Amino acid sequence: MIYRPRSASDALSEPGIRALVLLLAVVSLYLVYGSLYFYRDPLSIFFSEEHGFDRFYSATRQAEADEFLDAIIANPDLAKWQLGKAGPNPLICSVFITVGRDMIGRQYIDSAVGSFLANMTRPERETMHLKLFFADVPNPDAQHRSYAKFAAADIADEVFTYNSTLPAEKKEDKIRELASFAKDRTNKHALERKTVFDYAYALDRCVQTTNAPYIAILEGDILLADGWAAKTLKNLQTIERMMKDPTRHDPEKGEIAPGGPNTWLYLRLFNQERSFGWSGGTGFKSNNVHVISVAVAVPLLIVLLLVRRQLPRHLARHLDGWTLFVVCGIEVPLFIWLFYASGKAALLGAPAGVHEEWFGCCNQALVYNRVHAKGLVDYMMTASRRVSPGRSDMLPKQFAWDHGLARISAYPMLAQHAGRVSAIDTSNDEAKRVWSMAFEDFKPYKLANEHIRDVQELFGNEAAGHMR
């Protein structure tokens, strides 16, 4: 008897080997696809540290915002002619909170204000009362390179500081106290006391000086998408309709499950993918992948065994033991693990529309319900007097929980965190990770068309006609 070594073709004639080769081919193609399209999801195994924070739409929007701001700074009459100011009964009082940062080039607040106004129509501007809060102490004129520019320009409805608005009898002591908090950036709790007070003070300024039913608190290092104002107004209309659902009930502490409370605290305009990804990580036991694999593989194995019994022998041989092992023992757990490890945001994204969510980061752009604004102001002012007050982005969440108030997000998110140089104790590396992957997917021409449509629905054909 002559021994003949098995060739590759002989090996491929085995069903189990063919199943394994097919699996390797499919997984290889998926790995290539994932590295090309999932590299921006920070919770994905495909995430690229080098390119994960590449700028696409935000670069376009910043250039547009900077160009517009430079134009209206150079020619203030352009802003008056094109936009005007807020009307006597604005719908949203918007406050940018900003402090000077040690950075090269223009301050973030320049691009932020530019993105607030760029491509805005006059009817939209009339619904928006714009305030700029320079929270530097003791002397914003010397501490913030953009203060003098905005103070002189007639762009915002109000530019204010602690020096210009604190009561005379409290001003000196309060500014001295706030300056001591801000002096040492390594003192986390002192910085928190300053940022919490800044946030509450900005919110209260809108309560005290306007009758707007909504109050937007915006960090000074964000970018807003084209058409953000009209879309936000439409989202607020959706929220008000949601709250009128007769199945909702008066709020109770902790009763914040979607569909429950009949009143709400804030609408989120920014969120990061890290906040709504799979919570378990990328390990095989994370997200109970091992349990799910067994739950899927065992029934599948039983079905395949039953099917094999019904097939003719020449077909049944393709479902031999090795093939069943590859399918149920390797493919099922591998594909389930890849589903979770690829990243929820990359694979599924967030469904478009207005949704109740009790999670999310951070407080870069939140629109508050005025009904609860004063209560939140008092809550945060009280917190700022504690040695360890908590963070300004966590306190509103706790307030909502304590009062049974809904927290709402609108997707796609309309704001991006553009800051790379932190104004607080956050490292610059961590600051860049507060990032919306989805914002970078916006297409300028699509946003422009949606903006026209939204303005037409809100303000009529004449307002939209001026945009064409």
Side-chain angles (χ1 to χ4, degrees):
M1 184 176 186
I2 301 175
Y3 172 74
R4 185 173 64 87
R6 290 173 61 88
S7 65
S9 60
D10 293 333
L12 288 175
S13 67
E14 296 293 333
I17 298 296
R18 290 202 302 270
L20 187 59
V21 170
L22 179 60
L23 171 63
L24 291 174
V26 170
V27 170
S28 298
L29 290 173
Y30 184 80
L31 292 178
V32 172
Y33 182 87
S35 65
L36 292 174
Y37 293 100
F38 299 161
Y39 68 93
R40 292 186 293 129
D41 185 343
L43 299 182
S44 171
I45 58 171
F46 300 105
F47 175 70
S48 168
E49 194 68 41
E50 182 180 1
H51 296 291
F53 303 105
D54 286 352
R55 301 179 65 194
F56 296 99
Y57 176 67
S58 65
T60 300
R61 184 58 175 169
Q62 182 171 350
E64 187 175 44
D66 291 346
E67 181 181 9
F68 182 80
L69 183 72
D70 291 344
I72 59 177
I73 290 289
N75 181 10
D77 290 336
L78 177 64
K80 295 178 183 178
W81 173 79
Q82 185 171 335
L83 294 175
K85 290 287 191 70
N89 295 299
L91 294 176
I92 301 179
C93 176
S94 301
V95 189
F96 278 102
I97 306 174
T98 180
V99 294
R101 307 194 192 203
D102 184 13
M103 56 187 293
I104 299 172
R106 65 169 78 226
Q107 294 283 298
Y108 291 128
I109 187 63
D110 295 12
S111 301
V113 173
S115 70
F116 183 97
L117 296 171
N119 300 334
M120 184 178 279
T121 63
R122 181 177 285 269
E124 289 174 285
R125 181 66 178 92
E126 290 176 353
T127 69
M128 301 283 161
H129 182 99
L130 173 61
K131 295 180 182 291
L132 305 181
F133 176 29
F134 289 83
D136 303 88
V137 284
N139 185 5
D141 195 8
Q143 294 171 264
H144 201 306
R145 296 204 310 269
S146 293
Y147 173 72
K149 171 171 57 182
F150 282 109
D154 193 22
I155 298 173
D157 295 287
E158 183 186 25
V159 177
F160 70 98
T161 67
Y162 284 118
N163 287 313
S164 67
T165 54
L166 280 170
E169 64 276 12
K170 299 179 180 179
K171 181 186 301 184
E172 186 176 344
D173 290 341
K174 192 62 185 179
I175 288 178
R176 187 185 303 112
E177 179 187 45
L178 292 172
S180 70
F181 294 157
K183 185 176 182 180
D184 183 5
R185 287 190 54 171
T186 63
N187 189 332
K188 174 183 176 181
H189 295 313
L191 277 174
E192 286 175 347
R193 294 182 70 179
K194 169 71 164 55
T195 56
V196 167
F197 188 85
D198 290 347
Y199 202 87
Y201 196 80
L203 187 60
D204 191 50
R205 187 68 184 169
C206 273
V207 173
Q208 299 298 330
T209 61
T210 75
N211 59 356
Y214 309 108
I215 300 172
I217 304 297
L218 309 171
E219 294 291 337
D221 59 355
I222 67 168
L223 291 170
L224 292 161
D226 181 15
W228 78 272
K231 198 167 292 293
T232 298
L233 290 171
K234 289 185 64 179
N235 290 336
L236 289 169
Q237 291 178 350
T238 300
I239 294 173
E240 297 301 346
R241 289 194 297 269
M242 289 168 57
M243 294 299 114
K244 293 177 181 178
D245 186 335
T247 62
R248 291 178 174 272
H249 56 70
D250 290 337
E252 298 178 14
K253 182 176 181 177
E255 293 290 333
I256 58 170
N262 60 12
T263 187
W264 58 284
L265 180 60
Y266 61 67
L267 167 66
R268 178 177 294 282
L269 302 186
F270 170 83
N271 201 0
Q272 58 176 3
E273 280 74 18
R274 290 189 300 176
S275 296
F276 58 84
W278 308 117
S279 60
T282 57
F284 184 70
K285 290 188 177 181
S286 303
N287 301 296
N288 295 314
V289 169
H290 57 306
V291 176
I292 298 172
S293 297
V294 172
V296 173
V298 171
L300 178 62
L301 176 61
I302 294 172
V303 170
L304 291 176
L305 288 172
L306 292 174
V307 168
R308 187 174 68 174
R309 293 181 61 182
Q310 305 301 317
L311 292 174
R313 181 173 296 181
H314 68 284
L315 294 178
R317 64 178 294 272
H318 295 291
L319 288 176
D320 64 3
W322 285 111
T323 303
L324 294 176
F325 172 74
V326 171
V327 171
C328 299
I330 300 177
E331 289 183 5
V332 167
L334 179 59
F335 288 146
I336 291 174
W337 174 74
L338 279 173
F339 174 78
Y340 286 101
S342 296
K344 183 179 180 181
L347 274 179
L348 305 178
V354 178
H355 312 288
E356 291 179 67
E357 286 184 341
W358 57 82
F359 55 84
C361 173
C362 304
N363 62 350
Q364 267 67 28
L366 298 174
V367 181
Y368 287 94
N369 182 356
R370 182 191 180 94
V371 172
H372 306 292
K374 185 58 179 173
L376 179 59
V377 168
D378 295 340
Y379 182 82
M380 296 186 75
M381 288 288 191
T382 300
S384 72
R385 292 192 284 270
R386 297 195 294 262
V387 174
S388 178
R391 296 181 67 93
S392 60
D393 59 340
M394 297 303 295
L395 289 170
K397 296 180 183 179
Q398 188 60 49
F399 181 83
W401 175 271
D402 290 344
H403 294 80
L405 307 177
R407 289 173 279 168
I408 300 173
S409 297
Y411 292 96
M413 290 290 160
L414 299 173
Q416 175 66 292
H417 176 237
R420 294 294 184 271
V421 178
S422 177
I424 53 175
D425 60 326
T426 303
S427 69
N428 292 345
D429 181 68
E430 174 59 24
K432 77 175 184 180
R433 297 177 188 278
V434 181
W435 182 254
S436 170
M437 177 180 76
F439 186 90
E440 300 303 316
D441 292 332
F442 279 136
K443 305 301 180 187
Y445 70 92
K446 288 186 178 180
L447 286 178
N449 290 335
E450 291 174 5
H451 190 189
I452 294 173
R453 183 194 65 205
D454 292 339
V455 168
Q456 185 176 27
E457 291 180 12
L458 288 167
F459 305 108
N461 293 329
E462 183 177 353
H466 294 300
M467 303 172 66
R468 299 182 190 277

